[in-house]
Amino acid sequence: MNAYIDIGINLINKQFQNDIDDVVQNALDADVSQMILTGTSIRNSEESARLAKEYPGILYATAGIHPHDAKSFDAQSISKLRNLLKQKHVVSVGECGLDFDRDFSPRNVQEACYKAQLELAIEVQKPLFLHERAAFTKFMGITKEYLPQLPKVVVHCFTGNLQEAKTYLDNGFYLGFTGAISDSKRFDHLKEVIQYVPLDRMMIETDAPFMLPKNVPNSLLKKYHERRCEPVFLPFVAAMVAQFKGVSGIIVAEETTKNAKSFFGI
């Protein structure tokens, strides 16, 4: 049996509000044995932690403020995140980082919010779950200031170029890959990235309900919600990694699962 770990799902998203139990069970039936809920704001992180607690040993959560939500960052934010991170099933700081693609929060506010969470990760010594879009130079400039003290780092939903991937790897980071790797129209360059990144620095995720893999057959989509990505589809992300690297799906499952267990301490 291949066991998979989905390192990033947005189970608090309103698309899942009526069928969370089914979504979790479908994933388990597809050998996705553990899933990590992504915290993107204080409220979302609190709800993710609360939900994860209901599925011990299956669901875990992160606690953080996404750059889109950085405008909500205030004097109480870090203490609230710190309290969440005291819980054993809250395994990572994030999702945090910079997003200069959408600019939903002012860039200087994003940077201050990100730095505060880097400092929190150093304090609590839990790994970092990072987000970067169209902000690579500034993102690395800030992150490097903290590098000597940082715990483990994964850049989730990586869609950058090969040079960016090499920089992350050279700094000891892990990379998380989603169904984007199966989208040859938008992300054809990710094949080269996948071929370069060693399996021992790679993890897989669905980012559900987003990033639906293109290689899921229509017959299977109709069984679920057609356009909604779910953790049940994680094996299709693994299958694309296997195809690009020329290895068996079993090896991809084993390696990415081992990485996730070690990285998040689960």
Side-chain angles (χ1 to χ4, degrees):
M1 181 187 95
N2 299 346
Y4 303 90
I5 295 178
D6 192 336
I7 69 160
I9 64 173
N10 300 282
L11 206 52
I12 299 301
N13 187 283
K14 61 180 183 293
Q15 292 190 47
F16 293 122
Q17 63 188 8
N18 298 318
D19 59 349
I20 287 173
D21 286 339
D22 289 341
V23 169
V24 172
Q25 189 57 55
N26 290 339
L28 292 172
D29 291 344
D31 298 325
V32 181
S33 58
Q34 292 167 309
M35 294 150 265
I36 300 174
L37 279 58
T38 306
T40 56
S41 66
I42 298 296
R43 182 179 173 187
N44 180 283
S45 296
E46 289 171 347
E47 291 179 2
S48 294
R50 189 158 48 243
L51 179 58
K53 196 173 183 179
E54 296 176 13
Y55 297 84
I58 297 171
L59 297 186
Y60 298 85
T62 74
I65 301 172
H66 190 288
H68 289 344
D69 287 280
K71 55 186 176 287
S72 70
F73 180 69
D74 62 28
Q76 285 76 48
S77 294
I78 291 301
S79 64
K80 289 176 180 176
L81 292 177
R82 185 185 290 114
N83 284 335
L84 285 171
L85 288 155
K86 288 176 182 175
Q87 302 176 73
K88 193 174 180 185
H89 64 280
V90 181
V91 293
S92 178
V93 178
E95 175 179 2
C96 58
L98 301 177
D99 194 309
F100 293 173
D101 183 40
R102 301 274 182 93
D103 284 317
F104 287 159
S105 293
R107 293 185 179 186
N108 63 321
V109 175
Q110 290 187 42
E111 291 169 24
C113 183
Y114 179 42
K115 288 177 182 178
Q117 291 177 90
L118 291 175
E119 290 166 9
L120 178 61
I122 291 167
E123 176 194 333
V124 301
Q125 282 299 299
K126 285 195 171 181
L128 277 155
F129 191 81
L130 299 187
H131 172 104
E132 180 272 313
R133 285 287 177 282
F136 178 78
T137 302
K138 176 60 77 171
F139 178 79
M140 277 311 301
I142 290 173
T143 310
K144 276 191 169 180
E145 293 176 28
Y146 297 88
L147 259 185
Q149 300 165 277
L150 283 183
K152 290 177 284 191
V153 172
V154 61
V155 178
H156 110 101
C157 191
F158 181 82
T159 53
N161 61 40
L162 181 59
Q163 189 52 55
E164 290 168 353
K166 287 179 177 179
T167 301
Y168 288 145
L169 293 174
D170 289 347
N171 283 284
F173 298 178
Y174 289 77
L175 298 178
F177 293 98
T178 67
I181 65 173
S182 62
D183 187 344
S184 59
K185 288 183 179 175
R186 287 182 64 203
F187 299 114
D188 187 52
H189 65 282
L190 289 177
K191 180 176 181 180
E192 181 184 39
V193 172
I194 293 283
Q195 288 170 342
Y196 179 83
V197 177
L199 274 173
D200 64 5
R201 300 284 285 283
M202 187 183 292
M203 290 181 265
I204 53 176
E205 52 183 319
T206 56
D207 204 22
F210 316 112
M211 298 299 195
L212 180 67
K214 299 286 188 184
N215 56 331
V216 178
N218 283 330
S219 58
L220 196 57
L221 290 177
K222 287 184 170 66
K223 183 180 173 184
Y224 298 102
H225 282 71
E226 297 218 30
R227 301 313 307 160
R228 183 180 77 177
C229 186
E230 297 186 23
V232 71
F233 299 138
L234 188 66
F236 291 92
V237 179
M240 288 304 300
V241 173
Q243 180 182 320
F244 289 162
K245 293 193 85 67
V247 299
S248 74
I250 293 172
I251 289 173
V252 174
E254 287 176 349
E255 288 293 312
T256 58
T257 296
K258 182 172 70 175
N259 296 342
K261 282 182 179 291
S262 171
F263 183 91
F264 292 104
I266 57 177

